[in-house]
Each structure stands twice: as structure tokens, then as C-alpha cells.
Amino acid sequence: MMNNTTSVIFAGVGGQGTLLASRIIGRVLLDGGFDVKLSEVHGMSQRGGSVVTYVKYGEKVYSPVIDKGEADYIVAFEQMEAARWLNYLKPEGKMLINTQKLPPMPVITGAAEYNADIIGKIAASGAAVKSLNALELAERAGSARAVNVVMMGALSNELGFGGEMWEAALSGCSPAKALDINRKAFKLGKEA
Amino acid sequence: MPQKTLMLGNHAVARGLYESGVTVVSSYPGTPSTEITAAAAKYKGEIHAEWAPNEKVAAETAIGASIAGARAFTGMKHVGFNVAADPFFTASYTGVTGGLVAAIADDPGMHSSQNEQDSRNYAIAAKLPMLEPSDSRECLEFTKAAYALSEEYDVPVLLRLTTRISHSQGVVEEGERARRELPDYQKNAAKYVMMPGFAKLRRVEVLERERRLREYAETTPLNSEEDGCPEMGVITSGAAYQYAKEALGDKAGYLKLGLINPLPTELIRRFAAKYKKVYVIEELDPIIERHCKALGVGVIGKELFPEIGEFSQSLIAEKILGETVESRAFPEAVPSRPPVLCAGCSHRGVFYVLGKLGVMVNGDIGCYTLGATPPLSAMDTTVCMGASVSGLHGFNKGRAGGYESKAVAVIGDSTFMHSGITGLINIAYNQSNSLVIILDNTITGMTGHQNTPANGLDIYGEPAPAVNLEELVKSVGIKRVTVIDPYDLAETELVVKQELEVKEPSVIITRRPCALLKNYQKKPPVSVIPERCAGCKACMKIGCPAISVSGGKAAVNRTLCVGCGVCGQLCKFNAFAEGE
Ligand SMILES: Cc1ncc(C[n+]2csc(CCOP(=O)(O)OP(=O)(O)O)c2C)c(N)n1
């Protein structure tokens, strides 16, 4: 298949702020002179359901969607979502996983069980994995809501691009009162 | 140099409205179309934007603005056009004064819809030209082209979007707003009064316009050709074009149709003649395919590709090239994560009570449709907006009165304003002892918090006159109207039981703002007193995402809990303590 584009999936749970994450990365990629497509599905999924954002960039991007086996990186904002999206990773792709657990309704009601040792099983599948406790880092930065920015910090190590580009995107996309916290969160994610 | 920005397809349509000099935008929200009108409202002062009570009203508002000479717009989801179809089928006869465009956003894959209808069928039936962009840049360009087309051919123009186009961001270059003079108003009854005498004459015009549009379809730059390997030609449009390009690249030549009604004939014949095999790649109905086959052009379409759901590059690579992608799988099943009613949702208590009473529930469309899911499971039907109220009346008539004390309708405040009130008039007028419950959370929740005619705010968040639901209900002839607090389970149960028994129509309004609203008065999270918790799981029956059981005891997620206190009312052991 024609594929000189880079594909990144953000997988999370409604309310985890994947929207801000995609705004930040969109800004970085646009400033980097790439053709960019970002795709997310709104609607029912926002009521605490699984949410996913596709980010694709390169010289020219056609399809806005990422299919199974096509993602260079998957940024999972929650462990079970990492397991859910594993089959979207390229054979040589890499997973960045927030170790936070948010039990879904079937687990809460006892109809299903939260999978054990997700990160171990993903690593055993042969995928490259980097895991971090983004919730703890976000709290350390000053707000539990900055989990999304912590994960962007971790992603920045993989994608490269100059620190000043990420800084410009962070300050361009963060609300003024959250900027300080977001800067700290980004740095903690990058150093994790 | 023009500024490059990343824009949602929907935002690019809104930018196109701005650049086309549009001054009137009237819509009713509906995923995936909502952001067009929300973004148009950002051009306050230059564009009048509004949320109308429903799509028919919105469409007629836009038609009126066009007759006034303004460039006007209405946007809706695919099923919204079912509601707006009546005015548009005749606006096709009257034509326009100022350019008139309606965006219709289809939802292949039903990400957030109750059906998967293909709105291209409407363009054919109403004889209206329809444009389909394939990315954000085209969303902007095609919107502008649609206004030019509308005025040149004296016709309302439809802009077809799909979820992937509406909700994907792509690179867009912004331009200037067109300066337009509003022409003087001139009465023209023969064009705008569609009684039979005049309509018969306009009908002839419509067919003549179709003929001219067919000619236009042969030459318009909206349709474009890309040469490629003579083995394989692909006729496609919209998102499917992008999937095809990614899957097939230069292994194929492409005819990308931007004008999808009317479809060209000679252009297709010429294109097809150049290739050994020709594929039609289109999501949903085989509309382009049928057109080609009617022309005698041999194409491969739905024998290969599904009529259901979204396409993707892998699907096309697999079906045409026989290529499959390698992927690893997680070694075990992963529990699903279905959407749920939020912690503190005002709908929760009502559905708990209805489930407990075991009544038949005529449901409707909104966040509260989640009342149909476990553990609440308290809904029997959902068809379309407004159908709960009229459906209950029909159900009660159908059961010859035998179920009147065992059946209810539930409907949200926005849905009630959309099309619930007409059903209620029918209940009052044609007398069934129906019980209608209006779930008034003071907002359109499902589509992301649009204000409603009943909440006292307009699209800009400015104060606006509010419909008084109690007075409205009384004025149609319903004498029994009770307002209750859905956080109070005992009161909710008492009133529902009592109103089910009365021998006349009755309305209950459950009133509590949506817990996600900015000004919602959160209370501190409740907590579980472990010594008291018997682990009976009674509190789990309301499906609150903030409550779970760990180590045999209930536990409350303190970041999610808003202190609504519904869980505590289910606990026989007084194990929930209010937070301080
Ligand atoms: C004809 C039509 N238009 C629009 C929609 C999209 N839509 C679904 S539910 C809904 C409104 C929900 O608001 P409300 O009735 O207040 O209930 P809530 O979601 O707030 O609980 C809308 C606009 C639709 N399904 N059908």
C-alpha cells in the first residue's frame, strides 16, 4: 500500500482531553510544513465511551483514517484502550501507554473483568512499549486534567521536531491559566 | 500569502459560508453536522446564526432569507432532511433569489445515528444539484461553488457531507469575504406562490433546469479526472476517493465526482473507455453504479463492496488487490466500553423508577436513549425524534386503553420542542389517557450543549425569551402537569404511579440541569461508610460510572461524583455519607 505518511492513534476514554492533544500535535505538524489530516468521531462516544483520534502526516495525506496494522505510534491514555487498539499497530510500531485504569461499565457492574497485566501482554506480543504513570505526573504538574499533555511530552521524544515547535503549539493551544501547568506536564512526560 | 490552517470539514464549510457573503444561517443540531452552524455563529455581526426548533423551521427560515435576496444556509444530519424535505421539494420549483445551500451530513457506519440513509436519493428525487467534497479544502471551495451554482441556475443546492469529511481536519487556505449588495425585494407570485396554476409552469422549468445541469455536469471542474495505469479506472466521490487513492495510488486512473447529482454521461463513457476494468467505489447505496449500468457502461461495484458502513483503504486494497495487512492481536477479549449516562445525569433516576415499575417506555432520541442500556434497560422503543409522544398515543389506542396505566413516553426538552409538542396536541385532541414525561435538563445534551427555545438563551448565549413548558403543555389542553426533581427517587416514583392511574392525559416534567453544564452546582462527592456497606450492590442498579464495588464494598470515584445523592437513596443500610 502507498504509505509514506506517519500514522499516530490517540486512544482514550471520553473526557480525557484527546481533543487538546490533537490540537497541539496538529499545530506542530502544520508548522513543520506537512500535509496533515486529523480525524475523530464525536457523538455517542463522548459519554464515557472509547474515543479515538487518527493523526496522519507526510508530504501528501489521502485517507484520514488509520486501519489495522497501520499505526506507527499508538498513544493510549488508558491501559485497556491500549489492549483494544493493539491490532492497529504496525509490526514495527510503538505503544506509549498511560498506566491509569478506568474501568468501563461492564467491569463496574461485574459483567466482565478488567484484563490483568495488559502491559506485559502487549510487550509479549512483540510490540515496542513505553509506559508511564501520566496521572501521577499530571498531578505533580498541578492538575489531573493534564494527562493529555504529559502524553504529548512522551510522544515528542518519538516524533522529534524542535522543542521550540512544541512550545509554540503548547502556548498557542493552552488556555492562559493552564499554560504553566501544561508546560510542566509536557516536560515531565518528556523526561519520563 | 493566504493563511494555512487545520480545519474540521464542518468548520471549513462555515468558513465557506463566511467567504460567500452568507448572512443568514438557521439550523437544528445533529451529529455530524452541528459544528457548521456553531462555527458560523463565530462570525457574529456579519452572519445571523440561530438554532431553530427543528429542521423544517430552519429550512423555511433559510428559504425565506433567500427570497429576501440574502445568501442563506441550513445544515442538518441526514435524518434532519427527512424533516426538512417538505419545504425543499417545493423550493426546488420556486428556485432562489439569494443563493441557498443546505448541507446534509450522512453517517455511514452509524457512529451516532438511528439509521444509515443515503441522502443522495433526496437530490435525485427533489431534482436538486448536490456537491460532495472529499476533504476540508474542498469543503470550503465547494461551499463557495455551491452559492455560485445556486444563483446561476436559480436552484437550492445540496452539499453532501459524511462523518469522516465533517469530522476530519485538513489543511485549508482562508480567503476574503465576498461583498454582496442585497437586491431590492420584488414580488414575483408566479415564481413563489406554488398553487397548481403556477406550480405546473414551474415544473416545466425544473425539468429544463435539470437538462441544463446535466450539460454542466459534463464540463464542471467539480468533476475531475486523473490519468493512470490503463488496467484499472475508478469512479468515486467524497471520502471513498481518499480511501481509493491511498489503497491504489497510481495503479489506477480516477474520475472523482464533485457534482454527484446530476451525474455526467459522456464524461463517464469517455473515462470508462480508457480502462480495461472500471470500479465504482461509493459508500452506501449503488447510485453512481446504477447510473453507469443504465448507460450501458460495465462497472464493478456492489458485487465487491458492501452497502453497509464506512469504507477504508484496507477494504479497497483487499477487495481489488487481494492484499491484506498484517497485524498482531491482544491475546484475550477486551471488555467493551459503551457510552453511559454521566455521573449526576438527571435522566438516571427517572429510568431507575420506570424500570422498577416495569412500565412500557416509548423512548425518543437524546442522551436519555442510554436509558435503554443495562443496568437500567428501561426503554421499549426508539424510532425518530418526537415518536415517543405520538407513538404512545398510538400504542394506547392500539391496546384499546388496556395499557394506559402501564405505558409512558419519555422525551428530552430539545426533542419536545423539535417535534414532541405536535404529538401532545394529538393526545389532547384525540383523547388517550397517556402519560408523557419531559426530561428537562435545560439543554440539548446529546449533540454537545446547544441552547433551546425553552432555556432562555440563544446560540450566542445571550438572553432570549424562553418557552414555559408548563404553560405550553396546559395551553394545548392537558390539565395535569407536575414538575418534579428527578434526583428525588421517592417523589419521582410516587408521582409516576399516581399519574399512570389518572383517567386523563398527564405530563410530568422532570427538571434538573445537565451535570456537564458549566454552571451546574456540583456538591462534594459522596463517600461510602465501609462498616455500614453490606456489599448488596443495590447502588449498582443505577449504572453510575462513579460507583464500583471493590473488595465486596461499594466505592465512589471522587473525581467523577458530583454529589447528586441518587445512590444513597437506594441504600438500605445508610452507607453513603454526603461529602463536605
Ligand atoms: C431529525 C433529527 N434531528 C436531529 C437529530 C440529532 N439529535 C439526536 S437527539 C437530539 C436532541 C437531544 O436533546 P434533548 O432532547 O434535550 O435530550 P438530551 O440529549 O439533552 O438528554 C438531537 C439534536 C436526530 N436524531 N434527528
Side-chain angles (χ1 to χ4, degrees):
Chain A
M1 207 167 301
M2 313 277 112
N3 235 332
N4 48 6
T5 56
T6 303
S7 300
V8 186
I9 290 179
F10 296 163
V13 177
Q16 278 195 307
T18 46
L19 234 61
L20 175 67
S22 54
R23 242 186 302 150
I24 292 171
I25 192 163
R27 175 71 189 269
V28 168
L29 297 172
L30 199 62
D31 289 352
F34 292 104
D35 188 22
V36 188
K37 279 188 180 163
L38 283 164
S39 178
E40 59 222 5
V41 171
H42 310 202
M44 272 307 224
S45 49
Q46 279 178 317
R47 303 278 166 271
S50 296
V51 289
V52 65
T53 304
Y54 302 132
V55 181
K56 290 172 87 167
Y57 64 97
E59 203 183 322
K60 171 80 189 158
V61 181
Y62 290 106
S63 166
V65 309
I66 299 172
D67 265 322
K68 290 191 180 104
E70 287 187 352
D72 295 278
Y73 302 98
I74 295 181
V75 183
F77 288 62
E78 198 270 351
Q79 281 199 44
M80 187 180 274
E81 296 312 306
R84 191 185 313 287
W85 289 91
L86 178 63
N87 55 347
Y88 279 69
L89 198 65
K90 263 187 191 165
E92 66 281 16
K94 183 164 181 181
M95 276 253 178
L96 307 178
I97 307 175
N98 174 15
T99 55
Q100 193 179 351
K101 290 184 182 179
L102 294 167
M105 192 50 69
V107 171
I108 290 178
T109 60
E113 260 183 64
Y114 199 101
N115 305 72
D117 188 26
I118 287 177
I119 292 171
K121 285 172 191 160
I122 291 177
S125 80
V129 179
K130 156 96 192 164
S131 64
L132 62 159
N133 187 337
L135 180 60
E136 197 234 323
L137 296 174
E139 278 166 351
R140 215 192 304 157
S143 164
R145 295 178 51 177
V147 162
N148 48 5
V149 184
V150 173
M151 295 307 289
M152 288 306 97
L155 180 64
S156 72
N157 291 330
E158 309 295 336
L159 300 188
F161 307 124
E164 65 303 333
M165 285 172 72
W166 290 96
E167 164 56 29
L170 259 188
S171 49
C173 302
S174 304
K177 56 180 193 304
L179 182 56
D180 263 355
I181 292 177
N182 283 351
R183 280 196 180 118
K184 277 187 209 146
F186 186 86
K187 190 159 172 285
L188 287 169
K190 194 171 168 61
E191 289 164 359
Chain B
M1 211 177 87
Q3 206 200 329
K4 277 192 177 179
T5 31
L6 259 186
M7 265 193 209
L8 270 185
N10 280 349
H11 289 170
V13 172
R15 182 69 201 180
L17 300 178
Y18 174 79
E19 292 181 14
S20 302
V22 167
T23 55
V24 178
V25 172
S26 182
S27 307
Y28 181 74
T31 313
S33 71
T34 312
E35 298 82 4
I36 304 173
T37 298
K42 301 255 158 71
Y43 301 107
K44 193 179 175 186
E46 291 172 289
I47 295 179
H48 163 80
E50 61 180 35
W51 293 124
N54 66 33
E55 293 86 351
K56 179 175 187 291
V57 173
E60 289 156 353
T61 300
I63 290 168
S66 160
I67 293 172
R71 283 191 163 183
F73 173 83
T74 181
M76 64 206 79
K77 70 184 283 148
H78 59 336
V79 289
F81 200 79
N82 299 336
V83 180
D86 193 17
F88 269 107
F89 269 70
T90 302
S92 173
Y93 284 39
T94 65
V96 305
T97 304
L100 174 62
V101 174
I104 311 178
D106 286 1
D107 189 14
M110 293 185 270
H111 292 283
S112 38
S113 304
Q114 68 267 37
N115 78 21
E116 204 178 28
Q117 68 190 45
D118 186 330
S119 60
R120 293 177 298 169
N121 293 298
Y122 269 122
I124 297 167
K127 302 197 186 305
L128 294 173
M130 184 178 244
L131 274 49
E132 182 172 29
S134 71
D135 60 16
S136 293
R137 188 180 56 78
E138 287 184 354
C139 282
L140 197 163
E141 279 177 14
F142 284 21
T143 301
K144 295 207 288 192
Y147 279 97
L149 191 66
S150 171
E151 285 169 8
E152 191 182 336
Y153 286 83
D154 188 10
V155 64
V157 175
L158 305 178
L159 186 71
R160 188 213 192 198
L161 304 166
T162 54
T163 300
R164 280 302 159 194
I165 300 302
S166 284
H167 284 173
S168 291
Q169 299 183 39
V171 184
V172 162
E173 285 180 18
E174 297 182 357
E176 298 288 312
R177 179 163 165 92
R179 298 265 148 251
R180 261 190 100 246
E181 291 292 321
L182 200 59
D184 288 337
Y185 174 67
Q186 274 171 349
K187 179 173 171 170
N188 186 349
K191 179 162 158 40
Y192 286 114
V193 179
M194 286 302 94
M195 52 188 189
F198 290 145
K200 281 177 188 166
L201 299 173
R202 293 298 300 177
R203 172 96 171 108
V204 179
E205 294 280 328
V206 169
L207 292 180
E208 167 58 17
R209 180 184 72 206
E210 268 265 288
R211 192 192 57 73
R212 287 191 295 128
L213 281 166
R214 279 202 198 97
E215 280 174 18
Y216 171 75
E218 302 294 344
T219 55
T220 172
L222 293 167
N223 297 332
S224 59
E225 226 185 297
E226 293 168 46
D227 287 332
C229 170
E231 289 299 310
M232 183 184 350
V234 170
I235 306 176
T236 183
S237 74
Y241 163 76
Q242 306 289 357
Y243 304 141
K245 275 294 278 192
E246 184 147 330
L248 307 172
D250 49 20
K251 292 191 189 104
Y254 300 85
L255 176 59
K256 172 167 159 293
L257 299 170
L259 180 69
I260 52 170
N261 190 61
L263 291 167
T265 55
E266 288 316 308
L267 182 61
I268 287 177
R269 282 203 178 102
R270 274 200 314 274
F271 175 80
K274 290 192 242 173
Y275 297 93
K276 269 200 196 142
K277 262 191 184 170
V278 180
Y279 295 91
V280 171
I281 305 183
E282 59 186 325
E283 291 175 329
L284 304 182
D285 294 345
I287 288 178
I288 301 172
E289 179 182 343
R290 273 194 228 121
H291 174 78
C292 292
K293 287 184 172 162
L295 295 176
V297 174
V299 295
I300 303 163
K302 294 297 175 187
E303 66 251 54
L304 210 54
F305 294 103
E307 283 187 53
I308 297 179
E310 282 188 298
F311 288 5
S312 70
Q313 55 273 20
S314 301
L315 177 85
I316 293 167
E318 186 197 320
K319 298 288 181 192
I320 295 186
L321 306 175
E323 288 175 5
T324 50
V325 182
E326 229 188 290
S327 72
R328 57 167 71 74
F330 194 72
E332 54 199 53
V334 180
S336 66
R337 189 184 294 277
V340 291
L341 292 174
C342 306
C345 177
S346 56
H347 302 325
R348 176 170 284 109
V350 183
F351 286 103
Y352 171 73
V353 167
L354 296 175
K356 185 176 167 193
L357 296 178
V359 292
M360 188 275 179
V361 181
N362 282 270
D364 219 300
I365 305 194
C367 290
Y368 52 95
T369 311
L370 293 171
T373 59
L376 294 165
S377 309
M379 195 171 284
D380 292 51
T381 66
T382 296
V383 179
C384 64
M385 290 186 74
S388 59
V389 181
S390 13
L392 172 64
H393 174 73
F395 186 85
N396 281 336
K397 291 291 182 196
R399 303 292 313 179
Y403 246 77
E404 285 178 339
S405 61
K406 285 181 280 189
V408 302
V410 291
I411 184 165
D413 49 334
S414 176
T415 306
F416 184 72
M417 294 314 301
H418 178 279
S419 47
I421 182 65
T422 36
L424 191 65
I425 291 171
N426 199 36
I427 287 175
Y429 175 53
N430 287 311
Q431 292 297 309
S432 59
N433 297 332
S434 293
L435 172 57
V436 173
I437 303 175
I438 303 175
L439 308 167
D440 182 8
N441 63 355
T442 74
I443 201 81
T444 319
M446 181 81 259
T447 44
H449 285 176
Q450 292 74 33
N451 290 317
T452 81
N455 84 349
L457 297 169
D458 66 13
I459 195 171
Y460 303 105
E462 304 285 340
V467 171
N468 181 316
L469 290 176
E470 297 89 306
E471 294 301 322
L472 174 64
V473 165
K474 283 184 194 153
S475 73
V476 308
I478 308 285
K479 298 197 190 74
R480 298 186 68 89
V481 183
T482 323
V483 180
I484 60 172
D485 175 3
Y487 280 176
D488 185 336
L489 296 183
E491 183 193 32
T492 302
E493 182 171 340
L494 187 82
V495 173
V496 170
K497 271 183 171 161
Q498 164 196 311
E499 296 307 306
L500 276 169
E501 289 309 322
V502 299
K503 299 287 174 252
E504 62 179 298
S506 172
V507 168
I508 298 172
I509 301 172
T510 66
R511 186 164 287 147
R512 267 285 175 178
C514 167
L516 296 186
L517 284 171
K518 276 215 178 79
N519 56 1
Y520 176 84
Q521 307 273 329
K522 272 191 202 173
K523 286 204 207 152
V526 299
S527 54
V528 177
I529 306 162
E531 310 80 69
R532 293 202 189 155
C533 177
C536 72
K537 298 193 182 170
C539 53
M540 303 292 293
K541 289 188 194 147
I542 48 172
C544 177
I547 306 177
S548 56
V549 172
S550 71
K553 307 263 176 193
V556 174
N557 178 326
R558 296 182 60 84
T559 36
L560 289 180
C561 178
V562 297
C564 76
V566 171
C567 51
Q569 299 169 49
L570 294 169
C571 184
K572 290 200 188 83
F573 307 98
N574 267 325
F576 285 90
E578 275 184 32
E580 57 256 23

